[in-house]
Structures are given as C-alpha cells and as structure tokens.
Amino acid sequence: MKLYYDPITVNCRKVIAGLDFIGAGYDEERLSYFAGDHKLPAYTAINPNAELPALVDGSLKLWESNAILIYASEKAGNMRAYPADPEIRGDISRWLLWESSKWFGGCYVYLVENVVKPILDDVPDQAVLDNHAPTFHAQAAILNDALSGRDWLSADHATIADIAVAAPMHLHAAQKLPLESYPNITAWMSRVEALPCWQKSDPIPHIPPEFLAKLA
Ligand SMILES: N[C@@H](CCC(=O)N[C@@H](CS)C(=O)NCC(=O)O)C(=O)O
C-alpha cells in the first residue's frame, strides 16, 4: 500500500495515526498541501477530488480517509481497531459518517479562521466564527452526551471511531475550539492524545517554524 499525504492536514493526520493504530504497514509519498501538490494531474489521477489523503493498493485507488481506515483494518484483520461485532461496527460506521458529514465541518471553520488564516497573514473573521458557533455547539453537545459514562466512543477500548472523530479537533488549542462546556469531550480527547499513534503523528514538527511563529 502507498499513502499519499501531507502530515500537517487533518485527514492525513487521521490516517497516519489510524494506520499506526491498526498496525498496517505502508509506503509513503509526501505531498505539500500548501504548495498545492494535491491539485496536480499526477495526484488527481488518483483522487479526482484533489484532496488529501489517498491510498493506492494494487489497482485500488482509495480516497476518503474513513474508507481508508476501514479498508486497512479489514486488510490487517485488526479486530480490536475495528471489532467484528455487528453492533460495534454499526456504531463505528455511525461515528465515521457523522465525522465526515458533520463534525469535520463543525471543527474546520475554527481551523480555517484561527490557524490557516493567521498562517497566511490573514485575519480571523469573528462574524464567521459567531455565525458558526451554534452549529458547533449542537454537534459538540451530541458528542459530549455520547461520551457520558464511557471512555471510548464505540467499545470499551479505542477503535478507529475514536481516531476519526478526534482528527477534526487535533489542533484544538490553536483552533480555539470552545470546549469549556464539554468535559466528556476534553477528558476523552486527553485519552486519545495519550495514544502512542496520536503522539507519533503530531503535525507540529512538520509545520515550518515561520508558520508556527504566526500562531504564537
Ligand atoms: N472527506 C475527505 C476530505 C478530505 C479533505 O478535505 N482533505 C483536505 C485536507 S484535510 C484537502 O486536501 N483539501 C483540499 C484543499 O483544501 O484544497 C476525507 O475524509 O478524506
């Protein structure tokens, strides 16, 4: 398998952490998100959406980060990362779809306004953040409630659901995600952040120092 990725992006961090968590080996080809490598024909031939990441395995050109996590779990036969029990799998599917359709967008606005814009010498738009806040809080309340009385989302141990749902908030401090009212989320995120796969996939060492300085 070969992974095409840039370790600084949300969905690439998800897949790098996830493949490590699953124990799936892979070759890698690094692209530069900020240089726009993902828009070049060599890459769009693999992922016509011009988005990172993508995985190539033989004739399979797989995009959508959560599909990559499921595929790698099944290929590796990792029944702990992706348990075979239909009820747990149903639950994991729900969280992967929710992450992709709702939570990613819910957190992404904060990433753009509070991380990407400052890096690009632009100014966060408080009106955009204020308008978006109700959407974020509605989604965060759902996640916080789901984590009530449990350590992990879908099983009594971490699964690919936890990796996927944690990814959109991976830079939560720099994103300035308003998490003050969500103790279950912050406690769970600390557990995710303690996972070796999460620590090894930290994007900060890959962010150029001149960009990091703008986030200080
Ligand atoms: N649903 C896709 C989303 C992929 C995605 O949005 N990737 C971002 C980086 S995290 C990207 O490459 N965006 C293209 C761009 O901003 O030009 C997935 O989960 O793989």
Side-chain angles (χ1 to χ4, degrees):
M1 305 199 287
K2 184 186 265 194
L3 181 69
Y4 294 75
Y5 75 107
D6 180 331
I8 68 170
T9 78
V10 173
N11 287 298
C12 294
R13 203 272 173 87
K14 178 201 291 177
V15 165
I16 299 162
L19 292 177
D20 187 15
F21 179 68
I22 292 159
Y26 60 93
D27 297 325
E28 54 181 54
E29 180 146 337
R30 275 180 68 162
L31 287 81
S32 169
Y33 174 80
F34 278 111
D37 291 351
H38 55 296
K39 297 177 182 162
L40 299 174
Y43 182 72
T44 58
I46 297 168
N47 183 353
N49 299 289
E51 292 174 343
L52 294 165
L55 184 82
V56 174
D57 192 15
S59 61
L60 177 67
K61 294 175 182 163
L62 194 59
W63 32 270
E64 285 299 328
S65 54
N66 291 339
I68 293 171
L69 294 185
I70 292 174
Y71 176 72
S73 299
E74 291 189 321
K75 185 164 176 166
N78 189 328
M79 297 293 165
R80 191 164 169 85
Y82 187 48
D85 180 295
E87 205 169 305
I88 297 178
R89 280 211 174 171
D91 196 78
I92 291 174
S93 297
R94 175 260 299 284
W95 286 117
L96 298 189
L97 291 164
W98 183 80
E99 184 275 326
S100 175
S101 63
K102 290 192 160 64
W103 187 233
F104 175 76
C107 297
Y108 192 64
V109 172
Y110 294 89
L111 187 73
V112 170
E113 295 299 323
N114 292 330
V115 178
V116 177
K117 279 192 174 179
I119 282 177
L120 299 177
D121 292 324
D122 200 351
V123 180
D125 187 333
Q126 193 56 46
V128 169
L129 289 165
D130 290 346
N131 285 339
H132 179 70
T135 300
F136 174 82
H137 286 293
Q139 295 169 354
I142 290 169
L143 181 58
N144 194 65
D145 286 353
L147 287 163
S148 176
R150 54 187 306 138
D151 287 347
W152 304 101
L153 278 172
S154 300
D156 61 4
H157 54 82
T159 69
I160 57 172
D162 299 284
I163 304 296
V165 175
M169 44 186 298
H170 75 146
L171 296 176
H172 54 89
Q175 286 170 260
K176 302 193 175 120
L177 285 179
L179 294 169
E180 299 78 18
S181 313
Y182 308 110
N184 301 332
I185 296 181
T186 50
W188 162 80
M189 194 62 192
S190 297
R191 286 189 280 278
V192 173
E193 288 170 340
L195 295 172
C197 70
W198 200 259
Q199 293 176 0
K200 280 191 269 168
S201 59
D202 184 356
I204 299 296
H206 301 288
I207 300 178
E210 63 272 24
F211 285 179
L212 274 182
K214 294 178 187 179
L215 296 177

